[in-house]
Amino acid sequence: MKHLLLGDEAIAQGAIDAGLSGVYAYPGTPSTEITENIQMYEAKRKEGSPIFCRWATNEKTAMEAALGMSYMGKRALVCMKHVGMNVCADAFMNSAITGVNGGLVVLAADDPSMHSSQNEQDSRFYGKFAMIPTFEPSNQQEAYDMTQSAFALSEKLHTPVLMRVTTRMAHSRAVVSTSDQLPTQNQMSLPQNVQHFILLPAFAKKNYAELVAAQDDFIADAEKSGRNRYVKGENPQKAILTCGIGYNYLMEVLHTDVENEWKKASILKITQYPLPVALINQMVSDGAKELLVVEEGQPVVEELIKGIIPSDIKVIGRLTGALPRMGELNPDSLRKAVGMEALPTLEADNIVVSRPPALCQGCGHRDMYAALNEVAREYASPRIFGDIGCYTLGALSPFHALHATVEMGASVTMAKGAADAGQHPSIAVIGDSTFTHSGMTGLLDCVNSKANVVVLISDNLTTGMTGGQDSAGTGRLEQICYGLGVEKEHVRVVVPLPKNMDEIKQVLREEIDYNGTSVVIARRECIQTLKRHLKQAKK
Amino acid sequence: MNKNIILAGVGGQGILSIATVIGEAALAEGLYLKQAEVHGMSQRGGDVQSNLRISSDPIMSDLIEKGGADLIISLEPMEALRYVSYLNKDGWIVTSSVPFVNVPNYPDIEEVLAHIKALPNHVLLDVEAIAKEAGAPQQAANMVLLGAAIPMLGIDHDKMIAGVRRVFARKGEEVVEKNVAAVEAGYSNSKK
């Protein structure tokens, strides 16, 4: 069958067709559509075995649950955006030490150029860090095929496999040929050696030695799998190494009619790591004198390759300025890297102004910020610590309400640290989904030291920024706060609507003036999911 | 055959529906296609664009290079101008003339329109008014714009209409006919 699929959809279909038993994920751009597509498949599925596909509370719980499913012999997929790798890093790193039973694939979607992120960290570092095979498909068909291969390789070599994509791979469509066969899942089976999963130092040392020894097998597979391809050029003194979708941009510019010396270069196309040492050595023995490294993200290979090739080969890439040090690649940057003139074009128009994203009209976060700003102005030096979600836009015009936003859950704990330092009022603004993702443990820290903070949970009953996925704590936020030890009379609920402005402001004032830990929940459904629900109700 | 198209607009305006119809028609023609979309944060009322590439030969890059676009289709006039540096010298801009003002420093609309009119190849239409005249709902304004772009797409008018019918088929006959009417109205208003 042929379908027009996003890279994310191709990965979802690849996992389904590989006999997936469970997908575990927390929403995050650009990875969200993978899990959503598996959920859509599951909602329509009439035959075959069910696939577990409910959203996880965060990436760490997702990674651990997937490891549990793998332990039982079934195939599991974990999906997240790049910064999610930081959240699940403990489980991820140690899954390399335990190894797997059923196939375990970890999908990290990186966001170079930070279209929807706070940094552009490169998940290939995590693959290298954990010392496990890492795949990086260059197109949508490869994304489909390699997801299936990743499960097979995971079971063959008893290791989790990291699959890394970037925004343009995740969110670009092309035609993909897929299997027509009904997938079959693994039967449940226990690990052959349970000590592999018990990481006491005595056992872990043995496992780690096995992982170190397995590196040669991982390299051998990268050399022989066919996923890394070396083609000797007419002028092998020049060589180009491409990673993932970097290959496409290179081919785009080299396929033009323009005369260019790099057209005769040898090309090594990488889609599987660790680096295929034999293929690199071949490139060197063919006479490579200058090597252009084309990689999306950080200069991972550009640094690593210097430990493999002789030092007299000149390496150019992001570190040398041949390609930009930051941001995603594009055909324009490749054109420049190989020394081609830019295409003639019309002048950019200077009348155009920027149009940043904004909170929707009618959004509850707006009313929450309107009240919060008014109350904050009543104090000499308020500090408001924000978090990750739609409400981060409260940092921009017209609200300018936030004084910090770092990572998931940091609002609560940074507000606590600031209060510990003597700041008052110290206020955290966090969404409901972010609160259950990483805010709850911080709130327990606040309660335990009776920190003088107000945690304002802007509860829109969904994970809004990524398109309205289920939020883990919906309907239970008060109980969660009571359970963590926040005093009942200091867990307040308001409805963020213009007509309630006076009441909201009064509640905020009272809780700011209370010397201890308070929670104010501003609860109103996301305007986007509300529209969707009303439309469904009409049908 | 090789067309590089930039679809532009403001988050929520419906540029991806235009891409879906062009994609449907292109695939039925046996053409290759790549389409890079924007998801995530910018969908909240920010500027959005999609790179759509169709060709009779395999396509490598998901992104269009500067000076490589044949056509900009924009649901908002200032957004059309945002991508002028991607347009090749003979390229076309097909855009709605109706501004979407959600920033305080939005430039004078007359000046924006003057900039568009100064470009060699442009089609500037009040797609909302044309949709209304054609008896189509305001949401079909994007289909008016698609109709206006048909002469520059390199895919036959009839094949585009067939694509519209297939894309909207599951929404019922009435929706199909209103969207076809919107596309036809845009097509007949296009200057080329």
Side-chain angles (χ1 to χ4, degrees), chain A residues 460-535:
Chain A
N460 61 1
L461 311 171
T462 191
T463 313
M465 182 98 264
T466 46
Q469 294 78 20
D470 291 342
S471 173
T474 298
R476 283 170 294 154
L477 290 184
E478 292 92 316
Q479 279 74 20
I480 290 169
C481 295
Y482 302 153
L484 290 169
V486 185
E487 295 153 294
K488 269 202 167 176
E489 59 275 29
H490 295 291
V491 177
R492 313 283 294 270
V493 181
V494 296
V495 179
L497 280 168
K499 65 173 184 181
N500 299 337
M501 225 19 83
D502 288 342
E503 182 204 337
I504 302 167
K505 287 192 299 194
Q506 189 52 34
V507 166
L508 284 173
R509 269 183 217 112
E510 286 169 17
E511 296 310 326
I512 287 170
D513 294 343
Y514 168 63
N515 185 3
T517 301
S518 317
V519 173
V520 177
I521 302 171
R523 177 176 295 139
R524 179 154 71 81
E525 186 179 2
C526 164
I527 199 91
Q528 298 291 343
T529 59
L530 178 68
K531 276 186 206 158
R532 221 178 297 159
H533 289 149
L534 291 175
K535 217 170 163 185

Coordinates of all heavy atoms in Angstrom, one line a residue, chain A residues 460-535:
Chain A
N460 N -6.4 23.8 32.2 CA -7.3 23.8 31.1 C -7.8 22.4 30.7 O -8.3 22.2 29.6 CB -6.7 24.6 29.9 CG -5.4 23.9 29.4 OD1 -5.0 22.9 30.0 ND2 -4.8 24.5 28.4
L461 N -7.6 21.5 31.6 CA -8.1 20.1 31.5 C -7.5 19.4 30.3 O -8.1 18.4 29.8 CB -9.6 20.1 31.3 CG -10.4 20.9 32.4 CD1 -11.9 21.0 32.0 CD2 -10.2 20.3 33.8
T462 N -6.3 19.8 29.8 CA -5.7 19.1 28.6 C -4.3 19.5 28.5 O -3.7 20.3 29.3 CB -6.5 19.5 27.3 OG1 -6.0 18.7 26.3 CG2 -6.2 21.0 26.9
T463 N -3.6 18.8 27.6 CA -2.2 19.2 27.2 C -2.4 20.1 26.0 O -2.5 19.5 24.9 CB -1.3 18.0 27.0 OG1 -1.5 17.0 28.0 CG2 0.1 18.3 26.9
G464 N -2.4 21.4 26.2 CA -2.9 22.3 25.1 C -1.9 22.5 24.0 O -2.3 22.5 22.8
M465 N -0.7 22.9 24.4 CA 0.3 23.3 23.4 C 0.5 22.3 22.3 O 0.7 22.7 21.1 CB 1.6 23.5 24.1 CG 2.7 24.1 23.3 SD 2.9 25.8 23.4 CE 2.0 26.4 22.1
T466 N 0.4 21.0 22.6 CA 0.7 20.0 21.6 C -0.6 19.6 20.9 O -0.6 18.6 20.1 CB 1.4 18.8 22.2 OG1 0.7 18.5 23.4 CG2 2.8 19.1 22.5
G467 N -1.7 20.2 21.1 CA -2.9 20.0 20.4 C -4.1 19.3 21.1 O -5.0 18.9 20.5
G468 N -4.0 19.3 22.5 CA -5.1 18.8 23.2 C -5.2 17.3 23.6 O -6.2 16.7 23.4
Q469 N -4.0 16.8 24.0 CA -4.0 15.4 24.5 C -4.5 15.3 25.9 O -4.5 16.3 26.6 CB -2.6 14.8 24.4 CG -2.1 14.7 22.9 CD -1.6 16.1 22.4 OE1 -1.3 17.0 23.1 NE2 -1.6 16.2 21.1
D470 N -4.8 14.1 26.4 CA -5.3 13.9 27.7 C -4.2 14.4 28.7 O -3.0 14.2 28.5 CB -5.6 12.4 28.0 CG -6.8 12.0 27.2 OD1 -7.6 12.8 26.8 OD2 -7.0 10.7 27.1
S471 N -4.7 14.9 29.8 CA -3.8 15.4 30.9 C -3.9 14.4 32.0 O -5.1 14.1 32.4 CB -4.2 16.8 31.2 OG -3.5 17.3 32.3
A472 N -2.8 14.0 32.6 CA -2.8 12.9 33.5 C -3.6 13.1 34.8 O -4.1 12.1 35.4 CB -1.4 12.5 33.9
G473 N -3.8 14.3 35.3 CA -4.4 14.5 36.6 C -5.8 15.1 36.5 O -6.3 15.6 37.5
T474 N -6.4 15.2 35.3 CA -7.7 15.8 35.1 C -8.7 15.3 36.1 O -8.9 14.1 36.2 CB -8.2 15.7 33.7 OG1 -7.2 16.4 32.8 CG2 -9.5 16.3 33.5
G475 N -9.3 16.2 36.9 CA -10.4 15.8 37.8 C -9.9 15.5 39.2 O -10.6 15.2 40.1
R476 N -8.5 15.4 39.3 CA -8.0 15.0 40.6 C -6.9 15.9 41.2 O -6.2 15.6 42.1 CB -7.4 13.6 40.5 CG -8.4 12.5 40.4 CD -7.8 11.2 40.0 NE -7.3 11.3 38.6 CZ -6.3 10.6 38.1 NH1 -5.7 9.7 38.9 NH2 -5.9 10.7 36.9
L477 N -6.8 17.2 40.6 CA -5.7 18.0 41.1 C -5.8 18.4 42.6 O -4.8 18.4 43.3 CB -5.7 19.3 40.2 CG -5.2 19.1 38.8 CD1 -5.1 20.5 38.1 CD2 -3.9 18.4 38.7
E478 N -7.0 18.7 43.0 CA -7.2 19.0 44.5 C -6.7 17.9 45.3 O -5.9 18.0 46.3 CB -8.6 19.4 44.8 CG -9.1 20.7 44.2 CD -9.8 20.5 42.9 OE1 -9.3 19.7 42.1 OE2 -10.9 21.1 42.7
Q479 N -7.2 16.6 45.0 CA -6.8 15.5 45.8 C -5.3 15.3 45.8 O -4.7 14.9 46.8 CB -7.5 14.2 45.2 CG -9.0 14.0 45.7 CD -9.9 15.0 45.0 OE1 -9.6 15.5 43.9 NE2 -11.1 15.2 45.5
I480 N -4.7 15.5 44.6 CA -3.2 15.3 44.5 C -2.6 16.3 45.5 O -1.7 16.0 46.2 CB -2.8 15.5 43.1 CG1 -3.2 14.3 42.2 CG2 -1.2 15.7 43.0 CD1 -3.0 14.5 40.7
C481 N -3.1 17.6 45.5 CA -2.4 18.6 46.3 C -2.6 18.3 47.8 O -1.7 18.4 48.6 CB -3.0 20.0 46.0 SG -2.5 20.5 44.4
Y482 N -3.9 17.8 48.2 CA -4.1 17.4 49.6 C -3.2 16.3 49.9 O -2.6 16.2 51.0 CB -5.6 16.9 49.8 CG -6.7 17.9 49.4 CD1 -7.9 17.4 49.0 CD2 -6.5 19.2 49.5 CE1 -9.0 18.2 48.7 CE2 -7.5 20.1 49.2 CZ -8.8 19.6 48.8 OH -9.8 20.4 48.4
G483 N -3.1 15.3 49.0 CA -2.3 14.1 49.3 C -0.8 14.5 49.5 O -0.1 13.8 50.3
L484 N -0.4 15.5 48.8 CA 1.0 15.9 49.0 C 1.2 16.7 50.2 O 2.4 17.0 50.6 CB 1.5 16.7 47.8 CG 1.7 16.0 46.4 CD1 1.9 16.9 45.3 CD2 2.8 15.0 46.5
G485 N 0.1 17.1 50.9 CA 0.2 17.7 52.2 C -0.1 19.2 52.2 O 0.1 19.9 53.2
V486 N -0.6 19.7 51.1 CA -1.0 21.2 51.1 C -2.2 21.3 52.0 O -3.2 20.4 51.8 CB -1.3 21.7 49.7 CG1 -1.5 23.2 49.7 CG2 -0.1 21.4 48.7
E487 N -2.3 22.2 52.9 CA -3.4 22.4 53.8 C -4.7 22.7 52.9 O -4.7 23.5 52.0 CB -3.2 23.5 54.8 CG -2.0 23.2 55.7 CD -1.4 24.5 56.2 OE1 -0.8 25.2 55.4 OE2 -1.5 24.8 57.4
K488 N -5.8 22.0 53.3 CA -7.0 22.1 52.5 C -7.5 23.5 52.3 O -7.9 23.8 51.2 CB -8.2 21.3 53.2 CG -8.2 19.8 52.8 CD -9.6 19.2 53.0 CE -9.6 17.9 52.3 NZ -10.8 17.1 52.5
E489 N -7.4 24.3 53.4 CA -7.9 25.7 53.2 C -7.0 26.6 52.3 O -7.3 27.7 51.9 CB -8.1 26.4 54.6 CG -6.9 26.5 55.5 CD -6.6 25.2 56.3 OE1 -7.0 24.1 55.9 OE2 -6.1 25.3 57.4
H490 N -5.8 26.0 52.0 CA -4.9 26.7 51.1 C -4.8 26.1 49.7 O -3.8 26.3 49.0 CB -3.5 26.9 51.7 CG -3.6 27.8 52.9 ND1 -3.9 29.2 52.8 CD2 -3.6 27.5 54.3 CE1 -4.0 29.7 54.1 NE2 -3.8 28.7 55.0
V491 N -5.8 25.3 49.4 CA -6.0 24.8 48.0 C -7.3 25.5 47.5 O -8.4 25.1 47.9 CB -6.1 23.2 47.9 CG1 -6.4 22.8 46.5 CG2 -4.8 22.6 48.4
R492 N -7.1 26.5 46.7 CA -8.3 27.3 46.3 C -8.5 27.1 44.8 O -7.6 26.9 44.0 CB -8.0 28.8 46.5 CG -7.4 29.1 47.9 CD -8.5 29.1 49.0 NE -9.4 30.1 48.8 CZ -9.4 31.3 49.4 NH1 -8.3 31.7 50.1 NH2 -10.3 32.2 49.2
V493 N -9.8 27.1 44.4 CA -10.2 26.9 43.0 C -11.0 28.1 42.5 O -11.9 28.6 43.2 CB -11.0 25.6 42.8 CG1 -11.4 25.4 41.3 CG2 -10.3 24.4 43.3
V494 N -10.5 28.7 41.4 CA -11.3 29.8 40.8 C -11.5 29.5 39.3 O -10.9 28.6 38.7 CB -10.5 31.1 40.9 CG1 -10.3 31.5 42.3 CG2 -9.1 31.0 40.2
V495 N -12.5 30.2 38.7 CA -12.8 30.0 37.3 C -12.4 31.3 36.6 O -12.9 32.4 36.8 CB -14.3 29.8 37.1 CG1 -14.6 29.6 35.6 CG2 -14.8 28.6 37.9
P496 N -11.3 31.1 35.7 CA -10.8 32.3 35.1 C -11.7 32.8 34.0 O -11.6 32.4 32.8 CB -9.4 31.8 34.5 CG -9.6 30.3 34.3 CD -10.6 29.9 35.4
L497 N -12.6 33.7 34.3 CA -13.5 34.4 33.4 C -13.5 35.9 33.8 O -13.3 36.2 35.0 CB -14.9 33.9 33.6 CG -15.2 32.6 32.8 CD1 -16.6 32.1 33.3 CD2 -15.2 32.8 31.3
P498 N -13.6 36.8 32.9 CA -13.6 38.3 33.2 C -14.6 38.6 34.4 O -14.3 39.4 35.2 CB -14.0 38.9 31.9 CG -13.6 38.0 30.8 CD -13.8 36.6 31.4
K499 N -15.8 37.9 34.4 CA -16.8 38.3 35.4 C -16.3 37.9 36.8 O -16.8 38.4 37.8 CB -18.1 37.6 35.1 CG -18.1 36.1 35.2 CD -19.5 35.5 35.0 CE -19.4 34.0 35.2 NZ -20.6 33.3 35.1
N500 N -15.3 37.0 36.9 CA -14.8 36.6 38.3 C -13.6 37.3 38.7 O -12.9 36.9 39.7 CB -14.5 35.1 38.2 CG -15.8 34.3 37.9 OD1 -16.9 34.7 38.1 ND2 -15.6 33.1 37.4
M501 N -13.2 38.4 38.0 CA -11.9 39.0 38.2 C -11.7 39.4 39.7 O -10.6 39.1 40.2 CB -11.9 40.3 37.3 CG -10.6 40.6 36.5 SD -9.4 39.3 36.2 CE -10.1 38.5 34.8
D502 N -12.7 40.0 40.3 CA -12.5 40.5 41.7 C -12.3 39.3 42.6 O -11.4 39.4 43.5 CB -13.8 41.2 42.2 CG -13.8 42.6 41.5 OD1 -12.8 43.0 40.9 OD2 -14.9 43.2 41.4
E503 N -13.0 38.2 42.4 CA -12.9 37.0 43.3 C -11.5 36.4 43.1 O -10.8 36.1 44.1 CB -13.9 36.0 42.9 CG -13.9 34.8 43.8 CD -14.5 33.5 43.1 OE1 -15.4 33.7 42.2 OE2 -14.1 32.4 43.5
I504 N -11.0 36.3 41.9 CA -9.7 35.7 41.6 C -8.6 36.5 42.3 O -7.7 36.0 42.9 CB -9.4 35.6 40.1 CG1 -10.5 34.8 39.4 CG2 -8.1 34.9 39.8 CD1 -10.5 34.9 37.9
K505 N -8.7 37.8 42.1 CA -7.7 38.7 42.7 C -7.7 38.6 44.2 O -6.6 38.5 44.8 CB -8.0 40.2 42.3 CG -7.6 40.4 40.8 CD -7.6 41.9 40.4 CE -8.8 42.6 40.6 NZ -8.9 43.9 40.0
Q506 N -8.9 38.5 44.8 CA -8.9 38.4 46.3 C -8.3 37.1 46.7 O -7.5 37.1 47.7 CB -10.4 38.5 46.7 CG -10.6 38.6 48.2 CD -9.8 39.7 48.9 OE1 -9.5 40.7 48.3 NE2 -9.3 39.4 50.1
V507 N -8.6 36.0 46.0 CA -8.0 34.7 46.4 C -6.5 34.7 46.3 O -5.8 34.3 47.2 CB -8.6 33.6 45.5 CG1 -7.8 32.3 45.6 CG2 -10.1 33.3 45.9
L508 N -6.0 35.3 45.2 CA -4.6 35.4 45.0 C -3.9 36.2 46.1 O -2.9 35.8 46.7 CB -4.2 36.1 43.7 CG -4.4 35.2 42.4 CD1 -4.2 36.0 41.1 CD2 -3.4 34.0 42.5
R509 N -4.6 37.4 46.5 CA -4.0 38.2 47.6 C -3.9 37.4 48.9 O -2.9 37.4 49.6 CB -5.0 39.4 47.8 CG -4.6 40.6 47.0 CD -5.5 41.8 47.3 NE -5.8 42.5 46.1 CZ -6.9 42.6 45.5 NH1 -8.0 42.0 46.0 NH2 -7.1 43.3 44.4
E510 N -5.0 36.7 49.2 CA -5.1 36.0 50.5 C -3.9 34.9 50.5 O -3.3 34.8 51.5 CB -6.4 35.3 50.6 CG -7.5 36.3 51.0 CD -8.9 35.6 50.9 OE1 -9.0 34.4 50.9 OE2 -9.9 36.4 50.9
E511 N -3.8 34.2 49.4 CA -2.8 33.2 49.4 C -1.3 33.7 49.3 O -0.4 33.1 49.9 CB -3.1 32.2 48.3 CG -4.4 31.4 48.4 CD -4.6 30.8 49.8 OE1 -3.6 30.4 50.5 OE2 -5.8 30.8 50.3
I512 N -1.1 34.8 48.7 CA 0.2 35.4 48.7 C 0.5 35.9 50.1 O 1.6 35.7 50.6 CB 0.3 36.7 47.7 CG1 0.3 36.2 46.3 CG2 1.5 37.5 48.0 CD1 0.1 37.3 45.3
D513 N -0.5 36.4 50.8 CA -0.3 36.9 52.2 C -0.2 35.8 53.2 O 0.3 36.0 54.3 CB -1.3 37.9 52.6 CG -1.3 39.2 51.7 OD1 -0.2 39.4 51.1 OD2 -2.3 39.9 51.7
Y514 N -0.6 34.6 52.9 CA -0.4 33.4 53.8 C 1.0 33.0 53.8 O 1.6 32.8 52.7 CB -1.3 32.3 53.3 CG -1.0 31.0 54.0 CD1 -1.2 30.9 55.4 CD2 -0.5 29.9 53.3 CE1 -0.9 29.7 56.1 CE2 -0.2 28.7 54.0 CZ -0.4 28.6 55.3 OH -0.1 27.4 56.0
N515 N 1.6 32.9 55.0 CA 3.0 32.5 55.0 C 3.2 31.0 55.1 O 3.2 30.3 56.1 CB 3.7 33.1 56.3 CG 5.2 32.8 56.4 OD1 5.7 32.3 55.4 ND2 5.8 33.3 57.5
G516 N 3.2 30.4 53.9 CA 3.3 28.9 53.7 C 3.0 28.6 52.3 O 2.9 29.5 51.4
T517 N 2.8 27.3 52.0 CA 2.6 26.8 50.7 C 1.1 26.8 50.3 O 0.3 26.2 51.0 CB 3.2 25.4 50.5 OG1 4.6 25.5 50.8 CG2 3.0 24.9 49.1
S518 N 0.7 27.6 49.3 CA -0.6 27.6 48.8 C -0.7 27.1 47.3 O 0.2 27.3 46.6 CB -1.2 29.0 48.8 OG -0.9 29.7 50.0
V519 N -1.9 26.6 47.0 CA -2.1 26.2 45.6 C -3.4 26.9 45.2 O -4.4 26.9 45.9 CB -2.3 24.7 45.4 CG1 -2.7 24.4 44.0 CG2 -1.0 24.0 45.7
V520 N -3.3 27.7 44.1 CA -4.6 28.2 43.5 C -4.8 27.6 42.1 O -3.9 27.6 41.3 CB -4.5 29.8 43.3 CG1 -5.7 30.3 42.6 CG2 -4.2 30.5 44.7
I521 N -5.9 26.9 41.9 CA -6.2 26.3 40.7 C -7.2 27.1 39.9 O -8.3 27.4 40.3 CB -6.8 24.9 40.9 CG1 -5.8 24.0 41.7 CG2 -7.1 24.2 39.6 CD1 -6.4 22.7 42.2
A522 N -6.7 27.7 38.7 CA -7.6 28.4 37.9 C -8.1 27.5 36.8 O -7.3 27.1 35.9 CB -6.8 29.6 37.3
R523 N -9.3 27.1 36.9 CA -9.8 26.0 36.0 C -10.8 26.4 35.0 O -11.9 26.9 35.3 CB -10.3 24.8 36.9 CG -10.9 23.7 36.1 CD -11.4 22.5 37.0 NE -10.2 22.0 37.7 CZ -10.2 21.6 39.0 NH1 -11.3 21.8 39.7 NH2 -9.2 21.1 39.5
R524 N -10.5 26.3 33.7 CA -11.5 26.4 32.7 C -11.0 25.7 31.4 O -9.8 25.8 31.1 CB -11.7 27.9 32.4 CG -12.7 28.2 31.2 CD -13.4 29.5 31.4 NE -12.5 30.6 31.1 CZ -12.3 31.1 29.8 NH1 -12.8 30.4 28.8 NH2 -11.5 32.1 29.6
E525 N -11.9 25.0 30.7 CA -11.4 24.1 29.6 C -10.8 25.0 28.5 O -11.2 26.1 28.2 CB -12.6 23.4 29.0 CG -12.1 22.4 28.0 CD -13.3 21.5 27.3 OE1 -14.4 21.7 27.7 OE2 -12.9 20.7 26.5
C526 N -9.7 24.4 27.9 CA -9.1 24.9 26.8 C -10.1 25.3 25.7 O -11.0 24.5 25.4 CB -8.1 23.9 26.2 SG -7.4 24.2 24.6
I527 N -10.0 26.5 25.1 CA -11.0 26.9 24.1 C -10.9 26.1 22.9 O -12.0 25.9 22.2 CB -10.7 28.4 23.8 CG1 -11.9 29.1 23.2 CG2 -9.5 28.7 23.0 CD1 -12.8 29.7 24.3
Q528 N -9.8 25.5 22.6 CA -9.7 24.7 21.4 C -10.3 23.3 21.6 O -11.1 22.8 20.7 CB -8.2 24.4 21.0 CG -7.4 25.7 20.7 CD -7.8 26.3 19.3 OE1 -8.5 25.7 18.5 NE2 -7.5 27.6 19.1
T529 N -10.1 22.7 22.7 CA -10.7 21.4 23.0 C -12.2 21.6 23.2 O -13.0 20.7 22.8 CB -10.1 20.6 24.2 OG1 -10.3 21.4 25.3 CG2 -8.7 20.3 23.9
L530 N -12.6 22.7 23.8 CA -14.0 23.0 24.0 C -14.8 23.1 22.7 O -15.8 22.5 22.5 CB -14.2 24.4 24.7 CG -15.7 24.8 25.0 CD1 -16.3 23.9 26.0 CD2 -15.7 26.2 25.5
K531 N -14.2 23.8 21.7 CA -14.8 23.9 20.3 C -15.0 22.5 19.8 O -16.0 22.1 19.2 CB -13.9 24.7 19.4 CG -14.0 26.2 19.5 CD -13.2 26.9 18.4 CE -12.8 28.3 18.8 NZ -11.6 28.8 18.1
R532 N -13.9 21.6 19.9 CA -14.0 20.3 19.4 C -15.1 19.5 20.1 O -15.8 18.8 19.4 CB -12.6 19.6 19.6 CG -12.1 18.8 18.4 CD -10.7 18.2 18.7 NE -9.7 19.2 18.9 CZ -8.5 19.0 19.6 NH1 -8.3 17.8 20.1 NH2 -7.7 20.0 19.7
H533 N -15.1 19.6 21.4 CA -16.2 18.8 22.1 C -17.6 19.3 21.7 O -18.5 18.5 21.6 CB -15.9 19.0 23.6 CG -14.7 18.3 24.1 ND1 -14.0 18.7 25.2 CD2 -14.1 17.1 23.6 CE1 -12.9 17.8 25.3 NE2 -13.0 16.9 24.4
L534 N -17.8 20.6 21.5 CA -19.1 21.1 21.2 C -19.5 20.6 19.8 O -20.6 20.2 19.5 CB -19.1 22.6 21.2 CG -19.0 23.3 22.6 CD1 -18.9 24.8 22.4 CD2 -20.2 22.9 23.4
K535 N -18.5 20.5 18.9 CA -18.7 20.0 17.5 C -19.1 18.5 17.6 O -20.1 18.1 16.9 CB -17.4 20.2 16.7 CG -17.7 20.6 15.2 CD -16.3 21.0 14.6 CE -16.4 20.9 13.1 NZ -15.1 21.2 12.5

